[in-house]
Amino acid sequence: QMSRVIVLVDMDCFYAQVEQRDKPSLWGKPVGVLQYSANGQSGLIAVSYEARPFGVKRGMTANQCKELCPDIEICLVPQGEYADKADIQKYRDASAEVFAVLGSIDSRIILEKASVDEAFLDCTAYVESRVTKVREETIQRLLDPACLPTSFIVDGKEDEKDEDETEDEEETVDEEARLKRKNERIEMIRKRKIEEFIEKCRFDDEFLKIALAAEFAERLREKVREKTQFYCSAGVGNNKTMAKLVCAAHKPRKQSFIPPGSEVDVLRNTKVSSVRGLGGKLGRSLTERLGINTMGELYRTPSSVLTATFPDNAPWLMQIARGEDYDKVDSRVLQRNLGVGKNFPGTMAIYTNMNAKFWLNGLTKELRKRMADDKIKHRRLAQKVVVHVTTDVSTSKSVKVGATEEKEGRLFEKLWPVMQSMRKGPGEGWKPPIFNISLSAGRFLEGLPSKENSIIGWVERRTKQLEEMEGKDAVEKLNRDAAAEEKRRLEREEMGEEEGEGEEMEGIFMVDNLDDDDDDDCLIVE
DNA sequence: ATTATAGCGCA
DNA sequence: TGCGCTATA
Ligand SMILES: Nc1ncnc2c1ncn2[C@H]1C[C@H](O)[C@@H](COP(=O)(O)OP(=O)(O)OP(=O)(O)O)O1
Ligand SMILES: [Mg+2]
Ligand SMILES: [Mg+2]
């Protein structure tokens, strides 16, 4: 089949950049983002590039990283409102800003949200439409050094000759000058390789399509930077696996692409564990059972051996080793489910009925807030909530269905019995002890009942105004304010009795009236 | 390390 | 469809 052109965009030290933007004095400084949990368990979940040369790594405690990098600035992940837990909403909001840019460029591009900070883009249709343009003009444009200013070719021949540091013959006293000359040489090699690549584009459309996607990615990244202040990196390849792999080759603030046909060379010395899908048990068992450490070794393993050892995975493994991957870019920017959860490790485990109820209650409130946000923002309602309880040995899980629509206010009453059904022990105690509770809402039904439309309509009009006047941040806040109001409405409903439709409508009318008060952002006037 | 998501195979 | 399990950020 026709070859595809895939781009993977991944934000650089994403949460750290969010904190740097929040507090601009942190730009250019070593920054770590620390996730607390009052358990005393806490670790870094993001580390700025300035801190990485010190050896600071994700997972380290504040003390550990202070030892390696005394000047590191530690930022804390916000805490939840209802439960003593981390709340990463601010990073989701920042992610939404980035995706607004990614989705606004060209309607022919298929966009898949792969995580809070990365996206796959299928640019095939877009580049196909540009391959047909006058070739010489395109080539001249691409040859301009300003066209691919942060691009690197990755062909698997990197450590052949002068590419890496061949130490200077002469003894230099001036460390700075030495470094400068080294960088100049790296930049020279970079430019030469790009030129070689572009020259191939004259007669080879496969090369040209990659180059056009790289040009596109340069512009896209610049636009992300303009609109959000965040830097990112990108990888370009013929499939998701290669795009993702090559993105990591040059980071931060850079992008990389593979000359068509060099995939196997790029993979040759790649550790299996760094390939998407092989970072876990499968990759480990490749090493343990067949002694395979690199993708080159996997490539050379006879298919009979692979089939005998991994019958289910052998076909996929052989494709991936050849640099082939037929996984499609799935046009999807919204999450399929949303959840909250908390660990209770070791001695923090939950042993009592009361404690179980306490945490389920807090987590339910956090979930309900998320559901209210999602409802306003995406106009959809979760049809299913899953309660997951991890105990001693077996991780038990149970689900709960039921039209959650409009019943969010009674969520806890619904979930508590589900949770109790997982209790084995009688009386006050809870057996077996619980090490994790997580809740997740999903199976969304698109669209809202028409009775919802008043508040939605208000948000829509207000969104337009704010976008013009104040930008994306204000819009995110507006959505949350509206969700908060929605939540309060549900709480009133929960409190009490039948609760008149009148009061409800009144709240919304008041909101409606606010429309003309153009300087008032507040939704609630009670 | 902790807290999120997504997707697969099986019954 | 529910559940356990795997993989990833
Ligand atoms: N294991 C984890 N647990 C919790 N949060 C995580 C974990 N891994 C990553 N995150 C969060 C914080 C990261 O800033 C964000 C994006 O992850 P990721 O892209 O892997 O790293 P990064 O963006 O911090 O650095 P890089 O520049 O290497 O991409 O997701
Ligand atoms: Mg990243
Ligand atoms: Mg990432």
Side-chain angles (χ1 to χ4, degrees):
Chain A
Q1 249 310 91
M2 195 186 68
S3 70
R4 299 175 293 155
V5 183
I6 310 297
V7 173
L8 181 276
V9 174
D10 187 297
M11 306 308 293
D12 299 325
C13 55
F14 187 45
Y15 292 9
Q17 282 201 90
V18 173
E19 298 303 335
Q20 287 171 318
R21 187 181 70 170
D22 253 19
K23 191 174 166 188
S25 65
L26 296 183
W27 287 116
K29 296 211 179 117
V31 172
V33 179
L34 191 72
Q35 189 167 47
Y36 261 117
S37 56
N39 294 344
Q41 313 284 52
S42 65
L44 291 187
I45 56 175
V47 178
S48 77
Y49 279 80
E50 292 81 359
R52 295 189 191 192
F54 294 88
V56 178
K57 293 264 179 8
R58 173 149 44 230
M60 283 179 175
T61 64
N63 287 335
Q64 278 176 314
C65 74
K66 277 278 184 192
E67 222 160 86
L68 295 170
C69 180
D71 293 333
I72 194 169
E73 303 269 1
I74 300 290
C75 303
L76 302 181
V77 173
Q79 288 291 109
E81 189 176 350
Y82 300 105
D84 192 1
K85 66 178 291 299
D87 180 351
I88 62 172
Q89 190 58 40
K90 75 184 280 193
Y91 311 108
R92 287 193 195 96
D93 289 347
S95 176
E97 291 179 51
V98 172
F99 276 83
V101 179
L102 298 183
S104 71
I105 306 296
D106 190 295
S107 61
R108 289 167 292 186
I109 285 167
I110 303 171
L111 178 64
E112 174 180 334
K113 179 169 175 124
S115 82
V116 71
D117 93 319
E118 71 200 68
F120 287 104
L121 295 85
D122 187 328
C123 304
T124 308
Y126 172 81
V127 298
E128 288 289 344
S129 77
R130 302 185 68 110
V131 174
T132 56
K133 302 245 186 316
V134 178
R135 186 66 53 108
E136 190 52 32
E137 282 174 19
T138 308
I139 300 285
Q140 288 310 318
R141 190 182 72 241
L142 291 169
L143 279 173
D144 185 337
C147 186
L148 299 169
T150 65
S151 288
F152 288 77
I153 311 275
V154 173
D155 59 8
K157 301 179 177 63
E158 277 70 20
D159 36 35
E160 257 180 19
K161 37 183 191 101
D162 52 1
E163 302 244 345
D164 258 329
E165 47 237 286
T166 31
E167 264 315 307
D168 287 349
E169 290 83 3
E170 39 178 321
E171 286 296 319
T172 335
V173 198
D174 193 346
E175 183 68 9
E176 214 167 287
R178 199 184 67 81
L179 205 72
K180 190 171 158 232
R181 264 191 301 133
K182 188 182 156 188
N183 284 336
E184 276 166 6
R185 201 156 51 81
I186 289 173
E187 178 62 9
M188 237 182 56
I189 294 167
R190 185 188 79 82
K191 287 213 174 92
R192 176 169 52 73
K193 292 200 126 191
I194 288 184
E195 257 177 60
E196 285 169 17
F197 190 103
I198 302 300
E199 288 299 331
K200 294 221 176 72
C201 296
R202 285 186 202 279
F203 309 109
D204 191 329
D205 285 5
E206 293 306 312
F207 276 71
L208 180 59
K209 285 191 282 183
I210 296 288
L212 288 170
E215 180 191 24
F216 166 77
E218 291 273 8
R219 294 184 180 168
L220 180 61
R221 289 171 47 236
E222 192 47 43
K223 184 147 178 186
V224 168
R225 162 84 186 128
E226 266 171 34
K227 300 280 182 191
T228 68
Q229 303 181 35
F230 299 138
Y231 293 97
C232 59
S233 299
V236 186
N238 287 310
N239 58 57
K240 287 167 123 181
T241 299
M242 296 309 295
K244 167 94 186 138
L245 181 71
V246 82
C247 175
H250 294 278
K251 240 181 176 285
R253 306 182 187 190
K254 298 177 195 70
Q255 60 179 56
S256 313
F257 51 100
I258 306 169
S262 294
E263 289 80 5
V264 172
D265 293 329
V266 171
L267 286 171
R268 182 162 297 122
N269 295 320
T270 301
K271 288 200 299 224
V272 293
S273 62
S274 40
V275 170
R276 190 176 74 121
L278 294 176
K281 291 193 171 183
L282 181 56
R284 221 168 308 135
S285 57
L286 274 174
T287 304
E288 282 165 11
R289 296 172 65 181
L290 295 177
I292 295 170
N293 287 292
T294 67
M295 294 304 286
E297 289 162 22
L298 180 62
Y299 181 83
R300 293 190 294 273
T301 303
S303 75
S304 57
V305 174
L306 275 184
T307 310
T309 319
F310 301 97
D312 295 346
N313 303 298
W316 181 81
L317 286 170
M318 291 188 288
Q319 284 171 3
I320 291 296
R322 291 196 299 266
E324 298 167 12
D325 169 18
Y326 299 104
D327 191 11
K328 284 207 177 67
V329 177
D330 186 2
S331 180
R332 178 178 61 76
V333 204
L334 302 190
Q335 311 123 269
R336 295 190 158 122
N337 49 57
L338 50 86
V340 298
K342 183 168 174 66
N343 282 352
F344 307 94
T347 60
M348 301 299 301
I350 292 176
Y351 292 97
T352 68
N353 210 339
M354 209 187 73
N355 223 215
K357 193 168 182 174
F358 173 82
W359 281 106
L360 181 69
N361 188 245
L363 289 170
T364 302
K365 286 181 171 161
E366 295 290 341
L367 180 69
R368 201 175 57 188
K369 180 170 60 180
R370 294 279 306 282
M371 291 170 77
D373 276 352
D374 187 82
K375 175 170 151 188
I376 300 290
K377 206 172 162 190
H378 302 130
R379 274 148 232 195
R380 58 183 190 173
L381 289 169
Q383 301 291 105
K384 193 179 78 153
V385 173
V386 178
V387 181
H388 188 126
V389 170
T390 305
T391 60
D392 201 356
V393 273
S394 68
T395 157
S396 151
K397 188 180 194 174
S398 172
V399 300
K400 177 244 153 218
V401 285
T404 314
E405 3 90 324
E406 279 310 83
K407 294 278 192 297
E408 291 165 44
R410 311 234 189 261
L411 203 49
F412 178 75
E413 286 110 282
K414 283 270 210 170
L415 298 186
W416 177 234
V418 175
M419 177 135 168
Q420 278 178 311
S421 74
M422 300 177 208
R423 180 167 54 133
K424 300 286 197 288
E428 293 301 293
W430 187 293
K431 261 176 56 181
I434 295 169
F435 298 114
N436 170 281
I437 301 174
S438 48
L439 310 178
S440 112
R443 197 168 303 172
F444 290 104
L445 190 65
E446 300 296 325
L448 296 179
S450 52
K451 64 175 290 202
E452 303 283 357
N453 282 348
S454 35
I455 192 161
I456 298 281
W458 184 88
V459 173
E460 247 171 21
R461 292 193 296 280
R462 200 64 191 150
T463 299
K464 281 220 180 63
Q465 290 175 5
L466 279 180
E467 235 164 19
E468 281 158 25
M469 292 163 20
E470 303 184 45
K472 298 279 153 46
D473 266 359
V475 173
E476 298 292 344
K477 184 183 178 319
L478 168 76
N479 278 330
R480 263 198 313 283
D481 287 348
E485 170 55 16
E486 177 70 359
K487 190 194 72 198
R488 271 184 287 272
R489 188 177 67 80
L490 290 164
E491 269 164 4
R492 286 198 298 273
E493 201 172 294
E494 192 167 16
M495 286 294 111
E497 345 327 291
E498 298 320 289
E499 206 260 299
E501 202 80 349
E503 195 185 333
E504 190 178 334
M505 290 314 291
E506 195 177 355
I508 293 194
F509 276 132
M510 296 176 80
V511 157
D512 248 345
N513 292 340
L514 273 183
D515 222 16
D516 298 336
D517 285 346
D518 39 25
D519 64 345
D520 197 345
D521 273 14
C522 188
L523 253 182
I524 319 95
V525 217
E526 294 192 338

